[in-house]
Amino acid sequence: MAAALPAPGVDAVALRASYLLEAGPVGSMPPPPTLRGMAGTAMKALAGKKMHVLLDRIAERAAFERTGVRLYDMMLQKVAVAPALPAGMTIEGVREIRDEEHSHYLMLAAAIETPGGDPTAMTPCADVTGVQGTGLVQAMGEPRLTIAQALSTLLAAEVIDNASWELLIDLANRFGQDELAAQLTGALAAEQRHEATVRQWMATALAEESGV
Ligand SMILES: [Fe+2]
């Protein structure tokens, strides 16, 4: 929520500090609608562990992957009408990454549903990453962006994505979720390819743009 402008004579820094001190958390985790996936050995294995922390972070990645699909959909539109592309960059290559981001979302949605979570529910970390992503979507929606500028927007998303997948894998391992960690590791391999590919396209675009 936007804070009101401080009145004349009010110390804006002190006002901001008071907001920081008084602020509560960004929402709370919605309760699972069912405990069907938490029965038996899985429930015992998770006893004493704060499962909502893992679910919140899975939901965070799912939200970011949705943003990723939107970003690559916008790039596809841009590439389709671009008079020229950097050498090596193709619309098929962009679509391949877009489809992998979508498959990652579907995998994460299933991971949320398995222990009884709702993949459509907004969790605190999904909320925060959604707000962060609005800047990337806004930038990509600017028609005047060059291909190189659009690629730098995608690169920002991919760098965040790679670090976040690594952290999520570490968390899943700490929860003893071996099967989930294996699925996440497969997605990380794809994300590493995305980052390398986008970085390469961008390097070529910069070389062509600068003539060096
Ligand atoms: Fe990616």
Side-chain angles (χ1 to χ4, degrees):
M1 189 192 308
L5 285 174
V10 171
D11 182 338
V13 174
L15 185 62
R16 171 84 181 149
S18 72
Y19 288 150
L20 291 171
L21 288 169
E22 291 169 13
V26 180
S28 56
M29 280 294 286
T34 161
L35 293 178
R36 64 186 152 75
M38 296 283 284
T41 52
M43 184 68 113
K44 280 181 201 156
L46 293 170
K49 292 180 178 168
K50 295 175 181 170
M51 187 64 179
H52 65 275
V53 175
L54 178 60
L55 283 173
D56 194 13
R57 291 295 169 171
I58 294 172
E60 175 191 61
R61 289 270 45 71
F64 198 86
E65 296 302 301
R66 281 201 299 268
T67 298
V69 173
R70 290 191 185 106
L71 291 173
Y72 279 99
D73 275 341
M74 294 165 96
M75 189 60 156
L76 281 170
Q77 284 188 317
K78 194 169 194 65
V79 163
V81 298
L85 293 175
M89 182 181 180
T90 63
I91 194 165
E92 292 77 18
V94 176
R95 186 173 293 115
E96 187 179 331
I97 298 179
R98 182 258 177 224
D99 290 347
E100 284 185 336
E101 303 289 6
H102 185 236
S103 72
H104 293 167
Y105 167 73
L106 295 177
M107 181 261 284
L108 292 161
I112 294 167
E113 282 179 328
T114 300
D118 177 358
T120 66
M122 176 65 82
T123 74
C125 287
D127 190 351
V128 172
T129 206
V131 174
Q132 292 167 347
T134 55
L136 298 172
V137 172
Q138 270 187 330
M140 192 57 101
E142 166 56 63
R144 292 173 296 181
L145 248 62
T146 64
I147 291 289
Q149 288 165 337
L151 283 168
S152 74
T153 307
L154 294 178
L155 185 59
E158 294 293 1
V159 170
I160 293 170
D161 224 5
N162 270 272
S164 302
W165 279 99
E166 286 175 6
L167 289 164
L168 185 57
I169 291 166
D170 180 55
L171 193 61
N173 281 323
R174 287 171 188 269
F175 274 85
Q177 300 289 301
D178 300 340
E179 200 177 317
L180 175 62
Q183 284 183 309
L184 300 178
T185 301
L188 174 62
E191 294 297 350
Q192 289 168 337
R193 283 198 311 275
H194 297 177
E195 186 184 332
T197 301
V198 171
R199 191 185 289 250
Q200 180 56 51
W201 289 340
M202 196 173 158
T204 304
L206 289 175
E208 290 176 358
E209 191 180 321
S210 60
V212 293

